[in-house]
Amino acid sequence: GDPNAGGDCSAVAAGLRQDVYRLFATSNAFAALKRDGSVVTWGDPLFGGDSSKVYDKLSSGVRQIFCTCEAFAALLDNGSVVTWGDALKG
């Protein structure tokens, strides 16, 4: 697939080698929810492929992920919500 649209996960491959529980996608990015409650993202940064600004909130405690065409939202164990991607589309 298109490496700019999530078709290349080599930059985060180490984080995807084990314990991936569920996968979620926007139009051009992916988010993997791992069994330990952490999240790994890749793809177009404008579509949520870059979650570095909220990395500290996605390193543990994520219960579920929801997505639109261009943004992700994570529901945390403490009931709070973290979003990343296009702020106008999510």
Side-chain angles (χ1 to χ4, degrees):
D2 184 344
N4 297 318
D8 179 7
C9 66
S10 60
V12 295
L16 299 174
R17 285 199 171 90
Q18 60 185 3
D19 299 324
V20 173
Y21 176 62
R22 294 195 60 195
L23 290 174
F24 303 88
T26 61
S27 297
N28 292 332
F30 291 93
L33 177 58
K34 299 186 70 172
R35 292 196 183 280
D36 66 0
S38 65
V39 176
V40 177
T41 62
W42 69 98
D44 188 329
L46 298 175
F47 290 76
D50 178 6
S51 59
S52 60
K53 291 182 180 177
V54 293
Y55 173 79
D56 60 321
K57 296 176 182 170
L58 299 177
S59 60
S60 66
V62 177
R63 179 181 301 171
Q64 178 64 283
I65 296 175
F66 303 90
C67 47
T68 66
C69 302
E70 299 180 26
F72 292 100
L75 174 63
L76 305 184
D77 286 337
N78 66 9
S80 65
V81 174
V82 177
T83 61
W84 69 99
D86 187 334
L88 299 176
K89 304 288 172 103

